[in-house]
Amino acid sequence: MRALSSFRSRLPFKLYPSASIESNKKIRNIMSASDESPCFSRPRMVAKKVHGKLSHDGDGAVVRRAIGRGDLRSLDPFLMLDEFSVSPPAGFPDHPHRGFETVTYMLQGGITHQDFSGHKGTIHTGDVQWMTAGRGIVHSEMPAGEGVQNGLQLWINLSSRDKMIEPRYQEIPSEEIKRAETDGVEVRIIAGESMGVRSPVYTRTPTMFLDFTLKPRAQIHQSIPETWNAFVYTIEGEGVFGTVNSSAVSAHNVLVLSLGDGLSAWNRSSKQLRFVLIAGQPLNEPVVQYGPFVMNSQAEIDQTIEDYQLCKNGFENAKYWRSQSQ
């Protein structure tokens, strides 16, 4: 009884006698609506936090690598997440890929892409390029204007059956990205579904990619497939994730989430909060990576290096091609 009394004294509201059961329910509902996530049987919590460290990549580009480094090598099926900042003449000149997909999401400015099959285009603020490298691509990614061009690039692994498929592109202009809004929360649905709105983007490796903006005091409760791996990357402001009593997390951090069926997030600050929530179905396959080549065995990596050096088996066009930036 002493323990029960102590428990009651710590409650943030009073429990009244049975005659006031309806009142108790109303109070609990108000509490749930404001602070809890009653729709989730297994709410996701923050299992690990990794700060994106500044480093250099490409030719003079500055990146914050949050996934794909020593303390967070990968998160199946995700191989890398960079927030990049690049100004002319820096950039990412001609380089190859095989065995995975790259998703480039522009936060500010533009990037011009060229590849050895003649594909060329520029994505601007809010645009997305979803590139399936498959059996092989050689391309360049260079700033499209003066000043700082800023964005995110995510690498998503492909299953063994898809690693040698033909390359393909999905390029989605900002105005065609699905959006939804409610109670101070706006979401851009790059892949997957939120607030009953689904993106038309095809994800060969099943993936969710959501860009949330929360006004001060707003909150969001987002469902996630229970067995998928998921993480948050904070872009702007400070947010509280998982439980309402968690410490606020500032910009440029990856939060690896525990398994569960949904994530809750709150903006307790007086400024806007922006973050991406990314989740994917694990492949549960061996990963052998050599720079921009990602396969399932060392023998496949050795073959890929030979294919690239000899310009064969998907790299035929690399023999004479150079981008206009070279």
Side-chain angles (χ1 to χ4, degrees):
M1 292 297 294
R2 184 178 303 170
L4 180 59
S5 300
S6 175
F7 169 75
R8 284 174 172 161
S9 70
R10 295 197 301 272
L11 287 173
F13 53 87
K14 292 182 180 179
L15 287 176
Y16 296 96
S18 57
S20 301
I21 287 175
E22 290 304 315
S23 298
N24 289 336
K25 286 182 178 178
K26 288 179 181 178
I27 293 170
R28 289 191 184 98
N29 287 340
I30 292 170
M31 291 292 293
S32 294
S34 62
D35 285 331
E36 302 300 328
S37 48
C39 54
F40 304 136
S41 59
R42 291 182 62 200
R44 290 190 180 235
M45 304 300 169
V46 176
K48 184 175 185 176
K49 182 174 80 169
V50 177
H51 186 68
K53 294 180 180 177
L54 289 172
S55 61
H56 291 275
D57 197 12
D59 185 4
V62 176
V63 302
R64 287 185 181 272
R65 182 150 298 166
I67 298 176
R69 42 184 260 204
D71 41 3
L72 187 54
R73 179 57 60 193
S74 64
L75 182 67
D76 188 12
F78 306 113
L79 302 164
M80 190 193 81
L81 177 73
D82 279 353
E83 180 178 356
F84 62 85
S85 297
V86 57
S87 303
F92 304 93
D94 302 3
H95 59 280
H97 294 294
R98 174 181 276 181
F100 61 98
E101 299 183 299
T102 68
V103 182
T104 305
Y105 182 36
M106 290 307 301
L107 303 177
Q108 174 186 312
I111 288 289
T112 295
H113 165 274
Q114 304 175 52
D115 78 14
F116 68 176
S117 296
H119 186 278
K120 182 178 179 180
T122 300
I123 56 173
H124 299 280
T125 302
D127 296 347
V128 173
Q129 182 199 70
W130 199 294
M131 183 186 82
T132 303
R135 67 198 304 255
I137 276 180
V138 179
H139 72 159
S140 67
E141 299 157 294
M142 301 299 290
E146 297 301 317
V148 176
Q149 323 296 309
N150 175 232
L152 301 177
Q153 186 166 98
L154 175 71
W155 289 12
I156 307 173
N157 201 8
L158 289 170
S159 67
S160 56
R161 68 177 180 272
D162 292 331
K163 285 189 177 295
M164 295 297 287
I165 61 174
E166 291 297 322
R168 69 188 298 261
Y169 292 91
Q170 297 176 88
E171 292 178 332
I172 310 99
S174 179
E175 61 271 17
E176 293 183 11
I177 291 176
K178 300 290 185 179
R179 303 170 190 234
E181 187 172 359
T182 184
D183 298 331
V185 178
E186 180 182 355
V187 59
R188 307 182 84 231
I189 305 149
I190 297 164
E193 182 176 347
S194 183
M195 299 185 193
V197 179
R198 175 168 288 278
S199 167
V201 169
Y202 173 67
T203 60
R204 191 168 291 275
T205 300
T207 301
M208 169 188 286
F209 193 137
L210 306 174
D211 177 6
F212 284 103
T213 300
L214 276 63
K215 293 180 180 178
R217 316 309 296 176
Q219 59 185 284
I220 184 64
H221 306 287
Q222 172 64 44
S223 296
I224 303 169
E226 195 160 356
T227 60
W228 288 16
N229 286 329
F231 69 91
V232 164
Y233 182 73
T234 51
I235 298 171
E236 175 188 354
E238 287 188 343
V240 175
F241 300 90
T243 63
V244 70
N245 296 321
S246 299
S247 299
V249 179
S250 59
H252 313 303
N253 282 286
V254 158
L255 307 177
V256 179
L257 304 177
S258 64
L259 293 180
D261 57 349
L263 172 71
S264 296
W266 297 264
N267 183 0
R268 298 298 193 194
S269 74
S270 59
K271 297 181 179 180
Q272 176 177 280
L273 165 66
R274 186 180 182 188
F275 64 91
V276 292
L277 170 60
I278 298 174
Q281 182 177 311
L283 297 175
N284 297 316
E285 294 182 356
V287 176
V288 181
Q289 181 172 356
Y290 182 80
F293 304 140
V294 182
M295 304 301 286
N296 296 107
S297 69
Q298 186 59 49
E300 291 173 337
I301 288 292
D302 294 341
Q303 183 63 57
T304 297
I305 294 170
E306 179 181 310
D307 291 345
Y308 177 58
Q309 291 175 339
L310 299 181
C311 301
K312 64 178 185 177
N313 293 333
F315 290 110
E316 288 83 356
N317 292 337
K319 189 170 186 177
Y320 301 108
W321 181 82
R322 297 293 182 274
S323 70
Q324 295 176 10
S325 63
Q326 292 293 89

